[in-house]
Amino acid sequence: MWIEALIATTLVSAFVVFVAPNRVAGKLAFALSLLPTAGSIWMYSRFGSTGAEGNALLGGSLAFETNANWLALGPYSLNWHVGLDGISMPLLVLTTVLTPLAILAAWTPIDERQSQFYGLMLFMETSLLGVFAALDFFVWFVFWEMVLVPMYLLIGVWGGPRRKYAAIKFFVYTNVASLVMFIGFIALVFGLGDSVTSMDMPAIAQALNDGGMTGFAGVGANTLKVLAFFAMFLGFAVKVPVVPFHTWLPDAHVEAPTPVSIMLAGVLLKMGTYALLRFNFTMLPGVARDYALLIALFAVVSVIYGAMLALAQTDLKRIVAYSSVSSMGYVILGLVAYTMYGVGGATFQMVAHGLISGLMFMAVGVIYNTTHTRMVSDMSGLADRMPITVAVFVAGAFGYMGLPLMAGFAAEFFIFVGAFESTVLAGTVLGTNGLAIITAIAMFGIVIVAGYLLMAMQQTLFGPFEVETDYEVGRAAFHDVAPLVVLVLLVILLGVDPNIFYTMIQDAVRDIPTVAQAAATGGGH
């Protein structure tokens, strides 16, 4: 019942903060947010001794599992089924670590309706915990949709001048995508006929891998798999986001308050890649392999195009926002490689990017709190006035560039190794080394990342001090700097010792390439 306790504690904390006076809401929210952090760290420490092994959807044993009957929906039973494997455990920890740091970063910029703001932040954390722990599709989908509500309100109420436009655009894009994904998955379940009697995700994955698909509404089994795959891919690609479904993200980031951007880039985008791994690449590996070239092209376009768009920006927040589009392209590349290092590296990249992107948005937020501008052309020489903040910003930027001994380097190294040894494109026009060719092109994205980040730092952080603002620029407050330092240390810690998470990740993804190879050998989807 540890997962239930974690979710319940966070939900109750959200309601407590909602009714608390504004003057104490921030401190109370931070204190209460440490409870799920402590709980998830304890669960992580116990993970190896729980007997958890393998992948939740491929017959693996789970940690902290609960499976109880809930209700019947026609011929299907809905169960409260939650549990953790080596894929979901790191993302659960990431969520509970980033939330208190984001709340702490909100103390300076959030000065109105504080109770509601911090309550919504904790409610969002509750939903995210459910997304990463749920193993029944209906339960998972409820948590998936719940995330939209606090995010919409946090952007729409506390955002910038164009907050309503950004909030509505975010909600429409992601809600329509969720509807398409839902239709695709339900069609898949209906196509399994009597093979499944529940919405249990492991049972559905097992039925699909056992060849239980019979077709539905006159659509053949293989065709239905392909249609369902791309319906789900579209739904999750919007959340990632993958080019060309990315246009909502820069608007959302620019208008959102800093703490909301931290959670959006650090955790919410990982919902999309996590779902792609769980649903598309685990349940339908045959389809993923058949269309690997198309998926790999989506990945490399996201990497290069996202980096080029970042190169053209003059707003620091937009630069970091487009960097996320580029980084998520590497995750897709690792997933489609269908090797242990590729899929494992993609999962590790979710955690590494969560920390680094959160760090970068937090650093930009601290700079904005002091200078009241994010435009690169409006400031220079900040290193003399804000030495700690600038040092952290530089460290985060080098983390984005893949500096060795930082989490980003380890993640990208695993992905590149996995992609270069992949033969998933062997049957395409590119031949056996096809993915290696695409990966080599994607690696050029790192050069572009280095270019725009170095230029941005040179213009804003170094040189003679000059800021086009009437505000006095000085050292940031301790509660602004402290979470920055914590995140830098975590990025370095995970870079020095990736096995903090990578060992459990490898154990959870080891069967995915085997299942994919079996699907390909079987000669069908």
Side-chain angles (χ1 to χ4, degrees):
M1 299 296 286
W2 279 99
I3 294 174
E4 290 83 354
L6 202 66
I7 293 173
T9 299
T10 311
L11 183 60
V12 170
S13 298
F15 284 117
V16 169
V17 172
F18 265 124
V19 299
N22 282 326
R23 67 179 184 277
V24 300
K27 293 180 175 60
L28 179 63
F30 175 72
L32 292 175
S33 69
L34 294 177
L35 297 177
T37 305
S40 69
I41 292 174
W42 183 88
M43 292 165 70
Y44 165 81
S45 70
R46 294 285 300 161
F47 184 85
S49 62
T50 59
E53 186 177 2
N55 191 299
L57 269 62
L58 298 176
S61 54
L62 303 175
F64 314 107
E65 183 180 16
T66 303
N67 195 351
N69 293 332
W70 182 14
L71 53 88
L73 189 65
Y76 301 100
S77 63
L78 306 182
N79 303 321
W80 174 263
H81 189 189
V82 295
L84 300 174
D85 64 3
I87 295 171
S88 49
M89 183 77 248
L91 293 170
L92 193 86
V93 174
L94 173 68
T95 303
T96 59
V97 168
L98 270 186
T99 301
L101 297 178
I103 289 173
L104 199 59
W107 284 9
T108 296
I110 304 302
D111 55 6
E112 60 180 15
R113 299 183 180 182
Q114 294 166 316
S115 299
Q116 292 93 328
F117 179 88
Y118 293 112
L120 287 170
M121 289 285 287
L122 290 171
F123 183 73
M124 180 167 61
E125 182 185 16
T126 304
S127 307
L128 290 167
L129 296 176
V131 167
F132 296 131
L135 291 169
D136 180 278
F137 176 75
F138 187 81
V139 175
W140 176 87
F141 189 72
V142 169
F143 282 117
W144 176 273
E145 289 295 282
M146 279 172 54
V147 175
L148 295 179
V149 178
M151 181 57 67
Y152 171 79
L153 293 173
L154 287 166
I155 296 173
V157 176
W158 289 272
R162 300 176 72 241
R163 58 185 179 273
K164 293 182 180 179
Y165 167 78
I168 292 172
K169 188 174 182 179
F170 159 78
F171 191 86
V172 170
Y173 265 65
T174 54
N175 202 36
V176 171
S178 294
L179 177 61
V180 174
M181 174 271 294
F182 182 84
I183 293 172
F185 184 83
I186 294 300
L188 201 64
V189 173
F190 288 168
L192 288 168
D194 297 332
S195 300
V196 293
T197 57
S198 71
M199 290 289 177
D200 191 62
M201 288 157 57
I204 293 168
Q206 189 64 49
L208 286 167
N209 290 323
D210 288 343
M213 176 64 70
T214 59
F216 174 68
V219 180
N222 286 344
T223 303
L224 184 59
K225 283 185 178 182
V226 173
L227 293 175
F229 181 94
F230 280 103
M232 292 190 295
F233 186 89
L234 174 62
F236 300 139
V238 171
K239 185 77 77 174
V240 172
V242 173
V243 174
F245 312 112
H246 66 288
T247 57
W248 64 269
L249 182 66
D251 292 320
H253 270 309
V254 168
E255 300 305 322
T258 295
V260 178
S261 287
I262 294 168
M263 296 302 295
L264 176 58
V267 187
L268 265 74
L269 302 190
K270 311 309 174 292
M271 290 168 56
T273 49
Y274 171 79
L276 281 172
L277 173 55
R278 285 295 200 208
F279 290 84
N280 292 68
F281 290 92
T282 300
M283 292 185 180
L284 297 169
V287 183
R289 286 184 64 100
D290 287 348
Y291 292 91
L293 178 58
L294 179 61
I295 297 169
L297 290 176
F298 269 112
V300 73
V301 168
S302 292
V303 170
I304 302 299
Y305 187 65
M308 293 297 292
L309 286 175
L311 186 63
Q313 305 306 310
T314 57
D315 184 317
L316 285 175
K317 247 194 172 185
R318 280 191 175 271
I319 291 174
V320 181
Y322 281 116
S323 298
S324 292
V325 175
S326 182
S327 295
M328 290 298 96
Y330 288 120
V331 176
I332 307 299
L333 198 63
L335 292 178
V336 79
Y338 270 121
T339 59
M340 183 178 292
Y341 276 109
V343 180
T347 307
F348 191 84
Q349 170 75 337
M350 297 182 206
V351 180
H353 179 265
L355 295 173
I356 295 172
S357 62
L359 169 63
M360 292 293 286
F361 275 111
M362 194 177 293
V364 171
V366 174
I367 291 172
Y368 179 76
N369 291 342
T370 304
T371 64
H372 292 266
T373 181
R374 294 190 305 263
M375 304 308 293
V376 172
S377 58
D378 289 348
M379 49 187 161
S380 64
L382 295 181
D384 291 336
R385 303 295 179 95
M386 307 176 69
I388 298 177
T389 303
V390 167
V392 170
F393 187 94
V394 171
F398 278 108
Y400 245 128
M401 297 178 210
L403 185 72
L405 300 183
M406 300 189 82
F409 171 81
E412 290 172 1
F413 178 78
F414 292 143
I415 289 172
F416 295 153
V417 168
F420 276 115
E421 68 182 16
S422 174
T423 58
V424 73
L425 297 185
T428 70
V429 294
L430 294 180
T432 302
N433 297 320
L435 196 62
I437 297 171
I438 291 177
T439 302
I441 297 172
M443 291 176 70
F444 185 69
I446 298 176
V447 178
I448 305 174
V449 168
Y452 64 69
L453 286 177
L454 289 172
M455 282 196 301
M457 288 191 294
Q458 177 62 35
Q459 289 180 258
T460 60
L461 308 182
F462 306 110
F465 173 75
E466 182 180 352
V467 175
E468 294 185 15
T469 176
D470 295 330
Y471 296 90
E472 182 179 352
V473 177
R475 292 175 183 266
F478 175 79
H479 62 259
D480 286 337
V481 174
L484 288 173
V485 175
V486 171
L487 278 177
V488 165
L489 294 177
L490 290 175
V491 169
I492 295 172
L493 177 64
L494 209 57
V496 172
D497 186 10
N499 282 332
I500 291 173
F501 286 136
Y502 192 65
T503 300
M504 65 173 64
I505 289 173
Q506 270 199 319
D507 177 65
V509 305
R510 69 186 180 194
D511 292 330
I512 295 178
T514 305
V515 171
Q517 183 60 42
T521 304
H525 299 307

